Coordinates of all heavy atoms in Angstrom, one line a residue:
M1 N 12.0 16.7 -5.6 CA 11.4 15.7 -4.7 C 12.4 15.0 -3.8 O 13.4 14.5 -4.4 CB 10.5 14.7 -5.5 CG 9.9 13.7 -4.7 SD 8.7 12.7 -5.7 CE 9.2 11.1 -5.3
H2 N 12.2 14.9 -2.6 CA 13.1 14.2 -1.7 C 12.7 12.7 -1.6 O 11.6 12.4 -1.3 CB 13.0 14.8 -0.3 CG 14.0 14.3 0.7 ND1 15.3 14.5 0.5 CD2 13.8 13.7 1.9 CE1 16.0 13.9 1.5 NE2 15.1 13.5 2.4
I3 N 13.6 11.8 -2.0 CA 13.2 10.4 -2.2 C 13.4 9.6 -1.0 O 12.9 8.5 -0.9 CB 14.0 9.7 -3.4 CG1 15.5 9.7 -3.1 CG2 13.7 10.4 -4.7 CD1 16.3 8.8 -4.1
L4 N 14.2 10.0 0.0 CA 14.4 9.2 1.2 C 13.2 8.6 1.9 O 13.2 7.5 2.3 CB 15.3 9.9 2.2 CG 16.8 10.1 1.8 CD1 17.6 10.8 2.8 CD2 17.4 8.7 1.5
P5 N 12.1 9.4 2.1 CA 10.9 8.8 2.7 C 10.3 7.6 1.9 O 9.5 6.9 2.5 CB 9.9 10.0 2.8 CG 10.7 11.2 2.6 CD 11.9 10.8 1.8
Y6 N 10.7 7.5 0.7 CA 10.1 6.5 -0.2 C 11.1 5.3 -0.4 O 10.7 4.3 -1.0 CB 9.7 7.1 -1.5 CG 8.7 8.2 -1.4 CD1 9.2 9.5 -1.4 CD2 7.4 8.0 -1.1 CE1 8.3 10.6 -1.2 CE2 6.5 9.0 -0.9 CZ 6.9 10.3 -1.0 OH 6.1 11.3 -0.8
A7 N 12.3 5.4 0.2 CA 13.2 4.3 0.1 C 13.1 3.3 1.2 O 12.8 3.7 2.4 CB 14.7 4.9 0.1
P8 N 13.2 2.0 1.0 CA 13.1 1.1 2.0 C 14.3 1.2 3.1 O 15.3 1.7 2.7 CB 13.2 -0.3 1.3 CG 13.9 0.0 0.1 CD 13.6 1.4 -0.3
P9 N 14.0 0.8 4.3 CA 15.0 0.9 5.3 C 16.4 0.3 5.0 O 17.4 0.8 5.4 CB 14.4 0.2 6.5 CG 13.0 0.1 6.3 CD 12.8 0.1 4.8
E10 N 16.4 -0.8 4.2 CA 17.6 -1.5 3.9 C 18.3 -0.9 2.7 O 19.4 -1.3 2.3 CB 17.4 -3.0 3.7 CG 16.5 -3.3 2.5 CD 15.0 -3.2 2.7 OE1 14.6 -2.8 3.8 OE2 14.3 -3.5 1.8
G11 N 17.7 0.1 2.0 CA 18.3 0.8 0.9 C 17.7 0.2 -0.4 O 16.9 -0.7 -0.4
M12 N 18.2 0.8 -1.5 CA 17.6 0.5 -2.8 C 18.5 -0.6 -3.5 O 19.0 -0.4 -4.7 CB 17.5 1.8 -3.7 CG 16.6 2.8 -3.2 SD 14.9 2.4 -3.2 CE 14.6 2.5 -4.9
A13 N 18.8 -1.7 -2.9 CA 19.6 -2.7 -3.4 C 19.0 -3.4 -4.6 O 19.8 -3.9 -5.5 CB 20.0 -3.7 -2.4
D14 N 17.7 -3.6 -4.7 CA 17.1 -4.3 -5.8 C 15.8 -3.7 -6.2 O 15.4 -2.7 -5.6 CB 16.9 -5.8 -5.4 CG 16.1 -6.0 -4.1 OD1 15.3 -5.1 -3.8 OD2 16.2 -7.0 -3.5
S15 N 15.0 -4.4 -7.0 CA 13.8 -3.8 -7.5 C 12.7 -3.8 -6.4 O 11.7 -3.2 -6.5 CB 13.2 -4.6 -8.7 OG 13.0 -6.0 -8.3
G16 N 12.9 -4.5 -5.3 CA 12.0 -4.5 -4.2 C 11.9 -3.1 -3.6 O 10.8 -2.8 -3.0
G17 N 12.9 -2.3 -3.7 CA 12.8 -0.9 -3.3 C 11.8 -0.1 -4.0 O 11.1 0.8 -3.5
D18 N 11.6 -0.5 -5.3 CA 10.5 0.2 -6.1 C 9.2 -0.1 -5.6 O 8.3 0.8 -5.5 CB 10.6 -0.2 -7.6 CG 11.9 0.3 -8.2 OD1 12.5 1.2 -7.7 OD2 12.3 -0.3 -9.3
V19 N 8.9 -1.4 -5.2 CA 7.6 -1.8 -4.7 C 7.4 -1.1 -3.3 O 6.3 -0.6 -3.1 CB 7.5 -3.3 -4.5 CG1 6.3 -3.7 -3.8 CG2 7.6 -4.0 -5.9
Y20 N 8.4 -1.0 -2.5 CA 8.3 -0.3 -1.2 C 7.9 1.2 -1.5 O 7.1 1.7 -0.9 CB 9.6 -0.3 -0.5 CG 9.6 0.3 0.9 CD1 9.3 -0.4 2.0 CD2 9.9 1.7 1.0 CE1 9.2 0.2 3.3 CE2 9.9 2.3 2.3 CZ 9.5 1.6 3.4 OH 9.5 2.2 4.6
G21 N 8.6 1.8 -2.4 CA 8.3 3.2 -2.7 C 6.9 3.5 -3.2 O 6.2 4.4 -2.8
V22 N 6.4 2.6 -4.1 CA 5.0 2.7 -4.6 C 4.1 2.5 -3.4 O 3.1 3.2 -3.3 CB 4.8 1.6 -5.7 CG1 3.3 1.5 -6.0 CG2 5.6 2.0 -6.9
G23 N 4.4 1.6 -2.5 CA 3.6 1.4 -1.3 C 3.5 2.6 -0.4 O 2.4 3.0 0.0
R24 N 4.6 3.3 -0.3 CA 4.7 4.5 0.5 C 3.8 5.6 -0.2 O 3.1 6.3 0.5 CB 6.1 5.0 0.7 CG 7.0 4.1 1.6 CD 6.7 4.2 3.1 NE 7.2 5.5 3.5 CZ 7.0 6.0 4.8 NH1 6.4 5.2 5.7 NH2 7.5 7.1 5.1
I25 N 3.9 5.7 -1.5 CA 3.1 6.7 -2.2 C 1.6 6.4 -2.1 O 0.8 7.2 -1.9 CB 3.6 6.7 -3.7 CG1 5.0 7.3 -3.8 CG2 2.6 7.5 -4.5 CD1 5.7 7.2 -5.1
L26 N 1.3 5.1 -2.2 CA -0.1 4.6 -2.0 C -0.6 5.0 -0.6 O -1.7 5.6 -0.5 CB -0.2 3.1 -2.3 CG -1.6 2.5 -2.2 CD1 -2.6 3.2 -3.2 CD2 -1.6 1.0 -2.4
V27 N 0.2 4.8 0.4 CA -0.2 5.2 1.8 C -0.5 6.7 1.8 O -1.5 7.2 2.3 CB 0.9 4.8 2.8 CG1 0.6 5.4 4.2 CG2 0.9 3.3 2.9
E28 N 0.4 7.5 1.2 CA 0.3 8.9 1.3 C -0.9 9.4 0.5 O -1.7 10.2 1.0 CB 1.6 9.6 0.7 CG 1.6 11.1 0.8 CD 2.9 11.6 0.3 OE1 3.7 11.0 -0.4 OE2 3.2 12.8 0.7
M29 N -1.2 8.7 -0.6 CA -2.4 9.1 -1.4 C -3.7 8.8 -0.6 O -4.6 9.5 -0.6 CB -2.4 8.4 -2.7 CG -1.4 8.9 -3.7 SD -1.2 7.8 -5.2 CE -2.9 7.6 -5.7
L30 N -3.7 7.6 0.0 CA -4.9 7.2 0.7 C -5.2 7.9 2.0 O -6.3 8.2 2.4 CB -4.8 5.7 1.1 CG -4.8 4.8 -0.2 CD1 -4.5 3.3 0.3 CD2 -6.2 4.8 -0.8
L31 N -4.1 8.3 2.7 CA -4.3 9.0 4.0 C -4.1 10.5 4.0 O -4.4 11.2 4.9 CB -3.2 8.4 5.0 CG -3.4 6.9 5.4 CD1 -2.3 6.5 6.3 CD2 -4.8 6.6 5.9
G32 N -3.5 11.0 2.9 CA -3.3 12.4 2.8 C -2.1 12.9 3.5 O -1.8 14.1 3.6
E33 N -1.3 11.9 4.0 CA 0.0 12.2 4.7 C 0.8 11.0 4.7 O 0.3 9.9 4.4 CB -0.2 12.7 6.1 CG -0.9 11.7 7.0 CD -1.2 12.2 8.4 OE1 -0.9 13.3 8.7 OE2 -1.6 11.3 9.2
L34 N 2.1 11.1 5.0 CA 3.0 10.0 5.0 C 3.4 9.7 6.4 O 4.3 10.5 7.0 CB 4.2 10.3 4.1 CG 5.2 9.2 3.8 CD1 4.5 8.0 3.1 CD2 6.3 9.7 3.0
P35 N 2.9 8.7 7.1 CA 3.2 8.4 8.5 C 4.7 7.9 8.5 O 5.2 7.4 7.6 CB 2.2 7.4 8.9 CG 1.7 6.8 7.7 CD 1.9 7.8 6.6
D36 N 5.3 8.1 9.7 CA 6.7 7.6 9.9 C 6.8 6.1 9.8 O 7.8 5.6 9.3 CB 7.2 8.1 11.2 CG 7.5 9.6 11.2 OD1 7.8 10.2 10.1 OD2 7.4 10.2 12.3
G37 N 5.8 5.4 10.4 CA 5.9 3.9 10.4 C 4.9 3.3 9.4 O 4.6 3.9 8.4
P38 N 4.5 2.1 9.7 CA 3.5 1.5 8.9 C 2.2 2.2 8.9 O 1.9 3.0 9.8 CB 3.3 0.1 9.4 CG 3.9 0.2 10.8 CD 4.9 1.3 10.8
P39 N 1.3 2.0 7.9 CA 0.0 2.7 7.9 C -0.8 2.3 9.1 O -0.8 1.2 9.6 CB -0.7 2.3 6.6 CG 0.2 1.3 6.0 CD 1.5 1.1 6.8
P40 N -1.5 3.3 9.7 CA -2.3 3.0 10.9 C -3.6 2.2 10.5 O -4.0 2.2 9.3 CB -2.8 4.4 11.4 CG -2.7 5.3 10.2 CD -1.6 4.7 9.3
P41 N -4.1 1.4 11.4 CA -5.3 0.7 11.0 C -6.5 1.6 10.8 O -6.6 2.7 11.4 CB -5.6 -0.2 12.3 CG -4.8 0.4 13.4 CD -3.7 1.2 12.8
I42 N -7.3 1.3 9.8 CA -8.5 2.1 9.5 C -9.7 1.5 10.3 O -10.0 0.3 10.2 CB -8.8 2.0 8.0 CG1 -7.6 2.5 7.2 CG2 -10.0 2.7 7.6 CD1 -7.2 4.0 7.5
P43 N -10.4 2.4 11.0 CA -11.6 1.9 11.7 C -12.6 1.3 10.7 O -12.8 1.7 9.6 CB -12.2 3.2 12.3 CG -11.2 4.3 12.1 CD -10.2 3.8 11.1
R44 N -13.3 0.3 11.2 CA -14.3 -0.4 10.4 C -15.5 0.6 10.2 O -16.0 1.1 11.1 CB -14.8 -1.7 11.0 CG -13.7 -2.7 11.0 CD -14.3 -4.1 11.1 NE -13.3 -5.1 10.9 CZ -13.0 -5.6 9.7 NH1 -13.5 -5.2 8.6 NH2 -12.0 -6.5 9.7
R45 N -15.9 0.8 8.9 CA -17.0 1.6 8.6 C -17.9 0.8 7.7 O -17.4 0.1 6.8 CB -16.6 2.9 7.9 CG -15.8 3.8 8.7 CD -15.5 5.0 7.9 NE -14.2 5.5 8.4 CZ -13.2 6.0 7.6 NH1 -13.5 6.2 6.4 NH2 -12.1 6.4 8.1
P46 N -19.2 0.9 7.8 CA -20.1 0.0 7.0 C -20.1 0.5 5.5 O -20.5 -0.2 4.6 CB -21.5 0.2 7.6 CG -21.4 1.5 8.3 CD -19.9 1.6 8.8
S47 N -19.6 1.7 5.2 CA -19.7 2.2 3.9 C -18.7 1.6 2.9 O -17.7 1.0 3.3 CB -19.4 3.7 3.9 OG -18.0 3.9 4.1
G48 N -19.1 1.6 1.6 CA -18.2 1.1 0.6 C -16.9 1.8 0.6 O -15.8 1.2 0.4
E49 N -16.9 3.1 0.9 CA -15.6 3.9 1.0 C -14.7 3.3 2.0 O -13.5 3.2 1.8 CB -15.9 5.3 1.3 CG -14.7 6.2 1.3 CD -15.0 7.7 1.7 OE1 -16.1 8.1 1.4 OE2 -14.1 8.3 2.3
G50 N -15.2 3.0 3.2 CA -14.3 2.4 4.2 C -13.8 1.1 3.9 O -12.6 0.8 4.1
R51 N -14.6 0.2 3.2 CA -14.1 -1.1 2.7 C -13.0 -0.9 1.7 O -12.0 -1.6 1.8 CB -15.2 -1.9 2.2 CG -16.1 -2.5 3.2 CD -17.1 -3.5 2.7 NE -18.0 -2.9 1.6 CZ -19.1 -2.3 1.9 NH1 -19.6 -2.2 3.1 NH2 -19.9 -1.8 0.9
R52 N -13.2 0.0 0.8 CA -12.1 0.2 -0.3 C -10.9 0.7 0.3 O -9.8 0.3 0.0 CB -12.7 1.2 -1.4 CG -13.7 0.5 -2.3 CD -14.0 1.4 -3.4 NE -14.8 2.6 -3.0 CZ -16.1 2.6 -2.8 NH1 -16.8 1.5 -3.0 NH2 -16.7 3.7 -2.4
L53 N -11.0 1.7 1.3 CA -9.8 2.2 1.9 C -9.0 1.2 2.7 O -7.8 1.0 2.6 CB -10.2 3.4 2.8 CG -9.1 4.1 3.6 CD1 -8.1 4.7 2.6 CD2 -9.7 5.2 4.4
R54 N -9.8 0.4 3.5 CA -9.1 -0.7 4.2 C -8.4 -1.7 3.3 O -7.3 -2.1 3.6 CB -10.1 -1.5 5.1 CG -10.3 -0.9 6.5 CD -11.0 -1.8 7.4 NE -12.2 -2.5 6.9 CZ -13.4 -1.8 6.7 NH1 -13.5 -0.6 7.1 NH2 -14.4 -2.5 6.2
A55 N -9.1 -2.1 2.2 CA -8.5 -3.1 1.3 C -7.3 -2.6 0.7 O -6.3 -3.3 0.6 CB -9.6 -3.5 0.2
A56 N -7.3 -1.3 0.2 CA -6.1 -0.7 -0.4 C -5.0 -0.5 0.6 O -3.8 -0.8 0.3 CB -6.5 0.6 -1.0
L57 N -5.3 -0.2 1.8 CA -4.3 0.0 2.9 C -3.7 -1.3 3.3 O -2.5 -1.4 3.6 CB -4.8 0.7 4.1 CG -4.8 2.2 4.0 CD1 -5.5 2.9 5.1 CD2 -3.4 2.8 3.9
Q58 N -4.4 -2.4 3.2 CA -3.8 -3.7 3.5 C -2.8 -4.1 2.5 O -1.7 -4.6 2.8 CB -4.9 -4.8 3.5 CG -5.8 -4.8 4.7 CD -6.9 -5.8 4.6 OE1 -7.3 -6.2 3.5 NE2 -7.5 -6.1 5.8
V59 N -3.0 -3.7 1.2 CA -2.0 -4.0 0.2 C -0.8 -3.1 0.4 O 0.3 -3.5 0.4 CB -2.6 -3.7 -1.2 CG1 -1.5 -3.8 -2.3 CG2 -3.7 -4.7 -1.5
A60 N -1.1 -1.8 0.7 CA 0.0 -0.9 1.0 C 0.9 -1.3 2.2 O 2.1 -1.2 2.2 CB -0.5 0.5 1.2
A61 N 0.2 -1.8 3.2 CA 0.9 -2.2 4.4 C 1.9 -3.4 4.1 O 3.0 -3.4 4.6 CB -0.1 -2.6 5.5
R62 N 1.5 -4.3 3.3 CA 2.4 -5.4 2.9 C 3.5 -4.8 2.1 O 4.7 -5.3 2.2 CB 1.6 -6.4 2.1 CG 2.5 -7.6 1.7 CD 1.8 -8.7 1.1 NE 2.8 -9.7 0.6 CZ 2.6 -10.6 -0.3 NH1 1.4 -10.8 -0.8 NH2 3.5 -11.4 -0.7
A63 N 3.3 -3.9 1.2 CA 4.3 -3.3 0.3 C 5.4 -2.6 1.2 O 6.6 -2.5 0.8 CB 3.7 -2.3 -0.7
V64 N 5.0 -2.0 2.3 CA 6.0 -1.3 3.2 C 6.3 -2.0 4.5 O 6.8 -1.4 5.4 CB 5.4 0.2 3.5 CG1 5.2 0.9 2.2 CG2 4.2 0.1 4.3
H65 N 6.1 -3.3 4.5 CA 6.3 -4.1 5.7 C 7.8 -3.9 6.1 O 8.7 -3.8 5.3 CB 6.1 -5.6 5.4 CG 6.0 -6.4 6.6 ND1 7.1 -6.8 7.4 CD2 4.9 -6.9 7.3 CE1 6.7 -7.5 8.4 NE2 5.4 -7.6 8.4
P66 N 8.0 -3.8 7.4 CA 9.4 -3.5 7.9 C 10.4 -4.6 7.5 O 11.6 -4.3 7.4 CB 9.2 -3.4 9.4 CG 7.8 -3.2 9.7 CD 7.1 -3.7 8.5
E67 N 9.9 -5.8 7.4 CA 10.8 -6.9 7.0 C 10.7 -7.2 5.5 O 9.6 -7.5 5.0 CB 10.4 -8.2 7.7 CG 10.6 -8.1 9.2 CD 10.1 -9.4 9.9 OE1 10.3 -10.5 9.3 OE2 9.6 -9.3 11.0
S68 N 11.8 -7.0 4.8 CA 11.8 -7.1 3.3 C 11.2 -8.4 2.8 O 10.6 -8.5 1.8 CB 13.2 -6.8 2.7 OG 14.1 -7.8 3.2
G69 N 11.4 -9.5 3.6 CA 10.9 -10.8 3.1 C 9.4 -11.0 3.2 O 8.9 -11.9 2.6
Q70 N 8.8 -10.0 3.9 CA 7.3 -10.0 4.0 C 6.6 -9.2 2.9 O 5.4 -9.1 2.9 CB 6.9 -9.6 5.4 CG 7.4 -10.5 6.5 CD 6.8 -11.9 6.3 OE1 5.6 -12.1 6.1 NE2 7.7 -12.9 6.5
R71 N 7.4 -8.4 2.2 CA 6.9 -7.5 1.1 C 6.6 -8.3 -0.1 O 7.0 -9.4 -0.3 CB 7.9 -6.4 0.9 CG 8.1 -5.5 2.0 CD 9.0 -4.4 1.7 NE 9.7 -3.9 2.9 CZ 10.9 -3.6 3.0 NH1 11.8 -3.7 1.9 NH2 11.4 -3.1 4.1
Y72 N 5.9 -7.6 -1.1 CA 5.7 -8.2 -2.4 C 7.1 -8.4 -3.1 O 8.0 -7.6 -3.0 CB 4.9 -7.2 -3.3 CG 3.4 -7.2 -2.8 CD1 3.0 -6.1 -2.0 CD2 2.5 -8.2 -3.1 CE1 1.7 -6.0 -1.6 CE2 1.2 -8.1 -2.6 CZ 0.8 -7.0 -1.9 OH -0.5 -7.0 -1.4
E73 N 7.2 -9.5 -3.9 CA 8.4 -9.7 -4.6 C 8.5 -8.9 -5.9 O 9.5 -8.7 -6.4 CB 8.5 -11.2 -4.9 CG 8.8 -12.0 -3.7 CD 9.0 -13.5 -4.0 OE1 9.4 -13.8 -5.1 OE2 8.8 -14.3 -3.1
S74 N 7.3 -8.5 -6.4 CA 7.3 -7.8 -7.6 C 6.1 -6.8 -7.7 O 5.1 -7.0 -6.9 CB 7.2 -8.7 -8.8 OG 5.9 -9.3 -8.9
A75 N 6.2 -5.8 -8.6 CA 5.1 -4.9 -8.8 C 3.9 -5.6 -9.3 O 2.7 -5.3 -9.0 CB 5.5 -3.8 -9.7
E76 N 4.1 -6.7 -10.1 CA 3.0 -7.5 -10.7 C 2.2 -8.1 -9.6 O 1.0 -8.1 -9.6 CB 3.6 -8.5 -11.6 CG 2.5 -9.3 -12.3 CD 3.0 -10.3 -13.3 OE1 4.2 -10.3 -13.6 OE2 2.2 -11.1 -13.8
D77 N 2.9 -8.7 -8.6 CA 2.2 -9.3 -7.4 C 1.4 -8.3 -6.7 O 0.3 -8.6 -6.3 CB 3.2 -10.0 -6.5 CG 4.0 -11.2 -7.1 OD1 3.5 -11.7 -8.1 OD2 5.0 -11.5 -6.5
M78 N 1.9 -7.1 -6.5 CA 1.2 -6.1 -5.8 C 0.0 -5.6 -6.6 O -1.1 -5.5 -6.1 CB 2.1 -4.9 -5.6 CG 1.5 -3.8 -4.8 SD 2.7 -2.5 -4.5 CE 1.7 -1.2 -3.7
A79 N 0.1 -5.5 -7.9 CA -1.0 -5.2 -8.8 C -2.1 -6.2 -8.8 O -3.3 -5.8 -8.7 CB -0.5 -5.0 -10.2
V80 N -1.8 -7.5 -8.7 CA -2.8 -8.5 -8.6 C -3.6 -8.3 -7.3 O -4.8 -8.4 -7.3 CB -2.1 -9.9 -8.7 CG1 -3.1 -11.0 -8.2 CG2 -1.6 -10.2 -10.1
D81 N -2.9 -8.1 -6.2 CA -3.6 -7.9 -4.9 C -4.4 -6.6 -4.9 O -5.5 -6.6 -4.3 CB -2.6 -7.9 -3.8 CG -2.3 -9.3 -3.3 OD1 -2.8 -10.3 -3.9 OD2 -1.5 -9.4 -2.3
L82 N -4.0 -5.6 -5.6 CA -4.8 -4.3 -5.7 C -6.0 -4.6 -6.5 O -7.1 -4.1 -6.1 CB -4.0 -3.2 -6.3 CG -3.0 -2.5 -5.4 CD1 -2.1 -1.5 -6.2 CD2 -3.8 -1.7 -4.3
E83 N -5.9 -5.3 -7.6 CA -7.1 -5.7 -8.4 C -8.1 -6.5 -7.6 O -9.3 -6.3 -7.6 CB -6.7 -6.4 -9.6 CG -6.0 -5.6 -10.7 CD -6.9 -4.7 -11.5 OE1 -8.1 -5.1 -11.6 OE2 -6.4 -3.7 -12.0
A84 N -7.5 -7.5 -6.8 CA -8.4 -8.3 -6.0 C -9.1 -7.5 -4.9 O -10.3 -7.7 -4.6 CB -7.6 -9.5 -5.4
A85 N -8.3 -6.6 -4.3 CA -8.9 -5.7 -3.2 C -10.0 -4.9 -3.8 O -11.1 -4.7 -3.2 CB -7.8 -4.9 -2.6
A86 N -9.8 -4.4 -5.0 CA -10.9 -3.5 -5.6 C -12.1 -4.4 -5.9 O -13.2 -3.9 -5.7 CB -10.3 -2.9 -6.9
A87 N -11.9 -5.6 -6.4 CA -13.0 -6.5 -6.7 C -13.8 -6.9 -5.4 O -15.0 -6.9 -5.4 CB -12.5 -7.7 -7.4
R88 N -13.0 -7.2 -4.4 CA -13.7 -7.6 -3.1 C -14.5 -6.4 -2.5 O -15.5 -6.6 -1.8 CB -12.6 -8.1 -2.1 CG -12.2 -9.5 -2.3 CD -11.4 -9.9 -1.0 NE -10.5 -9.0 -0.5 CZ -9.2 -8.9 -0.9 NH1 -8.7 -9.8 -1.8 NH2 -8.4 -8.1 -0.4
S89 N -14.0 -5.2 -2.7 CA -14.6 -4.1 -2.0 C -15.7 -3.5 -2.8 O -16.4 -2.6 -2.4 CB -13.6 -3.0 -1.7 OG -13.1 -2.5 -2.9
G90 N -16.0 -4.1 -4.0 CA -17.1 -3.6 -4.8 C -16.8 -2.4 -5.6 O -17.8 -1.9 -6.2
S91 N -15.6 -2.0 -5.8 CA -15.3 -0.9 -6.7 C -15.3 -1.4 -8.1 O -15.1 -2.6 -8.4 CB -14.0 -0.2 -6.3 OG -12.9 -1.0 -6.6
R92 N -15.5 -0.5 -9.0 CA -15.6 -0.8 -10.4 C -14.6 0.0 -11.2 O -14.4 1.2 -10.9 CB -17.0 -0.6 -11.0 CG -17.9 -1.6 -10.5 CD -19.3 -1.4 -11.1 NE -20.0 -0.7 -10.0 CZ -21.1 0.0 -10.3 NH1 -21.6 0.2 -11.4 NH2 -21.7 0.6 -9.2
R93 N -14.1 -0.6 -12.3 CA -13.2 0.2 -13.1 C -14.0 1.1 -14.0 O -15.1 0.8 -14.3 CB -12.4 -0.7 -14.1 CG -11.3 -1.5 -13.5 CD -10.7 -2.3 -14.5 NE -9.5 -2.9 -14.0 CZ -8.6 -3.5 -14.7 NH1 -8.7 -3.6 -16.0 NH2 -7.5 -4.1 -14.2
A94 N -13.4 2.2 -14.3 CA -14.1 3.1 -15.3 C -14.1 2.5 -16.6 O -13.2 1.8 -17.0 CB -13.3 4.5 -15.3
P95 N -15.2 2.7 -17.4 CA -15.3 2.1 -18.7 C -14.2 2.6 -19.7 O -13.7 3.7 -19.6 CB -16.7 2.5 -19.2 CG -17.2 3.5 -18.3 CD -16.3 3.5 -17.1

């Protein structure tokens, strides 16, 4: 596996690089491809699927923000927002 597309622009100096990498993987999973820049905006759709996709991409967009100071400070912070996005969008955890 080639790791450069998952490394932050400033390099892997700290654990923030891990959050960036997870964000890039999340973008790739949600879109089916890895765009060169930030994730593209998702058109508004009335379906639950569209809401879940938008909510998850908002979290991913923050994780891969071009400015490191605007990204999540920890994976825990990112996980909290993913859980909140799932709750807002009406998705449910598997039992």
